[in-house]
Amino acid sequence: MPTLLLVRHGRSTANTEGLLAGRTPGVALDDRGAAQAAALPGRLAALPLAEIVTSPLRRCRETVRPLLDARPGLTAHTDERVNECDYGDWTGRKLADLKDEPLMEVVQAHPSAAAFPGGESMRAMQTRAAEAVREWNARVERDHGADAVYLMCSHGDVIKSLVAEALGLHLDLFQRIAVEPCSVTAIRYTRLRPFLVRLGDTGDFASLAPREETPAADATVGGDAGAP
């Protein structure tokens, strides 16, 4: 099955202002975020991307724009299921003000029980995103082959929940995972299990290019030798 690159959007104006942007329309990348997005084509230059999927929000669409410009043969498919969590009444509020909300303790310690007032639950967020990945895995494999690599640009909590799902971790543990703006997390799916091969990486990805020999579905005892 394919390898999925999960890209968190570049740093946004809401990130620098300490706001919980959620699904607020029009939130753009700041100058640093734009620079991060501009560097993405070079970081992924060695990888033959089969498809690009993105959240509908502006900051994600701006993040993949330089990549699309560099690869005119690709178009971005928008998928609502990898949209930001719907934080409901928390949307647009300062994170510093939210830290004293009783629900914040639940979000941090027991996120599987967290449901945002007027929004969605974190469990529902994970379920819809995982469903999207399963469907895109099947579509990419059908159209491009089992060794294909594709990219999905989404949001921090969504990506963390997908990593937890891939690792078989309970959602209550997903707050132990961190992904920086414009970081790339890579998950290689196989018939038996997913392999997390990069987490929150901000460097080069040439070693993830498809190899002549198909990677084994079994984990290497003692650790893999890595890319040639």
Side-chain angles (χ1 to χ4, degrees):
M1 294 181 71
T3 295
L4 168 61
L5 305 182
L6 289 164
V7 176
R8 185 184 171 195
H9 61 79
R11 195 175 76 174
S12 72
T13 55
N15 293 145
T16 50
E17 293 170 6
L19 299 176
L20 183 64
R23 297 183 178 181
T24 303
V27 175
L29 301 181
D30 67 5
D31 289 344
R32 180 176 176 184
Q36 290 170 334
L40 196 57
R43 293 170 58 202
L44 302 179
L47 299 181
L49 296 178
E51 301 282 359
I52 294 178
V53 184
T54 182
S55 157
L57 294 181
R58 176 178 174 178
R59 54 195 184 272
C60 286
R61 291 186 285 108
E62 288 183 344
T63 298
V64 300
R65 173 49 52 194
L67 196 57
L68 293 170
D69 291 342
R71 304 194 188 204
L74 289 175
T75 57
H77 304 275
T78 299
D79 194 323
E80 288 283 348
R81 294 172 297 178
V82 297
N83 200 350
E84 177 66 284
C85 185
D86 184 354
Y87 296 114
D89 297 345
W90 280 26
T91 302
R93 293 181 60 186
K94 285 188 173 294
L95 291 167
D97 296 337
L98 290 169
K99 65 181 179 62
D100 294 326
E101 291 277 354
L103 179 59
M104 182 59 84
E105 184 177 4
V106 181
V107 170
Q108 294 298 321
H110 192 25
S112 66
F116 296 96
E120 71 177 332
S121 68
M122 303 202 91
R123 186 183 293 275
M125 173 197 72
Q126 182 187 46
T127 298
R128 61 170 165 81
E131 179 183 80
V133 168
R134 284 192 291 271
E135 290 188 12
W136 276 103
N137 281 348
R139 176 173 172 176
V140 169
E141 181 172 8
R142 181 196 68 204
D143 294 345
H144 303 282
D147 293 328
V149 179
Y150 75 105
L151 182 148
M152 184 175 284
C153 186
S154 189
H155 307 269
D157 280 348
V158 175
I159 292 172
K160 288 162 55 179
S161 75
L162 288 171
V163 171
E165 198 267 347
L167 291 176
L169 296 178
H170 196 283
L171 185 60
D172 285 348
L173 301 178
F174 100 128
Q175 297 291 24
R176 302 183 183 193
I177 300 165
V179 290
E180 296 182 15
C182 220
S183 63
V184 181
T185 292
I187 302 173
R188 180 172 285 130
Y189 289 87
T190 74
R191 184 176 61 85
L192 295 180
R193 64 179 68 84
F195 290 90
L196 178 66
V197 292
R198 291 288 191 282
L199 175 61
D201 201 318
T202 56
D204 178 75
F205 288 86
S207 66
L208 294 184
R211 305 180 191 179
E212 293 182 5
E213 183 179 345
T214 302
D218 288 336
T220 303
V221 178
D224 192 1

